[in-house]
């Protein structure tokens, strides 16, 4: 079920009303109802995959119980590796099996061999990359004794399948979300208002920014026409805002929806395009995945400790794995490698944590140095996004070839027109609220007119959603990951 569909517009208020009406029947019944609603939400795409998410949930719940019953190191390691191998094995079969088979066959064909393995006709289950990491982190945390294994099966099922963040995150940790299913919840009008605001901003990002940017990005990347360098650059620019609006918009809708039910989800985006270097960008982009890889892969590998070769190895592993997590295509691996190359110099000179504060924190405008750093970081990110969006490496290199040619100085061949005004409005609102949790957080300038200005902003955003949406239920980009 898509957030941006009529189905969800009917589903959400019905589920919300029943959920709060069942408060008097206790937390366990509320959690059971959330599990049922979440399974309906997920099964709306393909009911066959409900068995897969239920299996993953049962597996890691049982492994948690097993870990809680023994302190024997070898026994605990067996439980842990069972969770890792089964979870990643399922992910590997559905997401990567055909990629490896195709490359295996291609390698043999180079040497003139007719030997060929058959690929499988598999449908990638929606959200499998997200809920797999969520259940896996639970087992790892229980193994490390950061968390006690729960014996409440219903609350664990609710933690894994909670529908607002089930399909595209944020990837929640059991240490943060699971206790919320085990605590009493009541209607908080302040949280509801904040949730509705954040949902509105998420819908604006998706329906107005992302879907309109997609129109122009797709013109360039889906058509091998004779686009000059300036048009290719515009297409890459539009894709950069498409993927940001699409993915962070989903996160805003998910976080806002969760607030309506009395839950607090982790922040997943923190205005990444205002970053002053790549390290800051990755602290602000898809935070739940970045911190997952940091805690469960990068630090266990040794992190930034050790010698030069170990640091280089760890950085490339973390970014290549991140790239491969996004999809079974060489373009994603190159995207990951590029980001590793961008990040590595900052780590080696000890500047990877140079920008931990908000840019232009006490000023309306950034300094010339900050502006240059943001422009450079965005430019590097834009180059990497070309590989992320391209169908293959040939298309990506052709696009870059045009951008770094004299044709970059030629007039653009497509014209976004009035949409540019809305795009700059969006960037402006995010800039003004860059030190807040999301772009449409209550605006509180020190003036008696603040409530009226805030109301005017809400009305403007609402009407842009109504008037500037593309009138089509476009699937979120990260559903395919």
């Amino acid at each position: 079920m898509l957030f941006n569909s009529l189905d969800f517009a009917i589903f959400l208020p019905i589920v919300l009303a029943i959920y709060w009406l069942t408060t008097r029947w206790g937390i366990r019944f509320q959690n059971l109802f959330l599990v049922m609603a979440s399974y309906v939400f997920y099964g709306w795409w393909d009911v066959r995959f409900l068995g897969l998410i239920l299996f993953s949930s049962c597996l890691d719940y049982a492994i948690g119980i097993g870990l809680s019953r023994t302190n024997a190191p070898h026994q605990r390691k067996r439980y842990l590796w069972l969770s890792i191998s089964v979870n990643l094995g399922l992910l590997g079969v559905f997401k990567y099996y055909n990629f490896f088979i195709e490359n295996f066959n291609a390698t043999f064909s180079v040497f003139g061999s007719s030997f060929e393995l058959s690929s499988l006709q598999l449908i990638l289950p929606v959200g499998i990359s997200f809920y797999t990491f969520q259940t896996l982190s639970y087992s790892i945390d229980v193994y490390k004794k950061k968390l006690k294994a729960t014996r409440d099966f219903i609350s664990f099922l609710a933690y894994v399948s909670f529908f607002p963040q089930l399909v595209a995150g944020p990837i929640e940790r059991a240490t943060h979300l699971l206790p919320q299913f085990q605590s009493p919840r009541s209607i908080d009008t302040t949280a509801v208002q904040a949730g509705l605001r954040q949902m509105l901003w998420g819908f604006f990002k998706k329906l107005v920014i992302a879907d309109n940017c997609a129109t122009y990005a797709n013109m360039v990347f889906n058509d091998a026409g004779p686009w000059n360098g300036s048009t290719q650059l515009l297409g890459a620019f539009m894709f950069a805002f498409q993927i940001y609006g699409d993915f962070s918009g989903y996160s805003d809708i998910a976080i806002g929806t969760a607030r309506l039910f009395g839950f607090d989800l982790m922040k997943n985006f923190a205005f990444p395009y205002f970053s002053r270097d790549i390290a800051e960008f990755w602290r602000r982009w898809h935070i739940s995945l970045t911190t997952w890889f940091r805690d469960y892969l990068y630090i266990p590998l040794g992190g930034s400790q050790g010698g030069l070769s170990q640091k280089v190895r760890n950085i490339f592993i973390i970014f290549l794995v991140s790239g491969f997590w996004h999809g079974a295509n060489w373009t994603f691996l190159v995207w990951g490698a590029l980001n590793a190359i961008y990040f590595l110099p900052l780590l080696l000179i000890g500047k990877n944590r140079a920008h931990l504060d908000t840019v232009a924190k006490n000023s309306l405008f950034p300094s010339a140095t900050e502006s240059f750093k943001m422009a450079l970081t965005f430019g590097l990110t834009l180059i990497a996004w070309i590989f992320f969006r391209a169908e293959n490496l040939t298309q990506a290199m052709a696009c870059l070839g045009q951008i770094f040619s004299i044709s970059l100085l030629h007039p653009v061949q497509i014209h976004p027109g009035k949409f540019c005004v809305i795009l700059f409005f969006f960037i402006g609102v995010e800039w003004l609220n860059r030190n807040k949790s999301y772009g449409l957080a209550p605006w509180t300038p020190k003036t008696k007119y603040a409530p009226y200005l805030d109301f005017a902003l809400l009305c403007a955003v609402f009407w842009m959603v109504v008037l500037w949406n593309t009138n089509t239920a476009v699937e979120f980009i990260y559903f395919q990951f």
Side-chain angles (χ1 to χ4, degrees), residues 17-61:
I18 297 174
Y19 170 80
W20 286 117
L21 287 172
T22 60
T23 303
R24 64 180 182 274
W25 294 342
I27 298 172
R28 191 171 180 81
F29 188 86
Q30 274 190 313
N31 290 342
L32 178 60
F33 175 71
L34 278 179
V35 172
M36 294 168 60
S38 297
Y39 274 50
V40 169
F41 177 88
Y42 189 72
W44 210 258
W45 281 284
D46 196 323
V47 72
R48 292 173 296 176
F49 294 132
L50 288 175
L52 193 61
I53 190 172
L54 179 60
F55 172 78
S56 294
S57 301
C58 292
L59 171 73
D60 285 285
Y61 173 79

Side-chain angles (χ1 to χ4, degrees), residues 370-383:
E370 289 173 324
S371 298
F372 173 76
K373 288 181 177 180
M374 284 192 293
L376 178 61
T377 303
F378 182 73
L380 292 173
T381 305
L382 205 65
I383 292 172

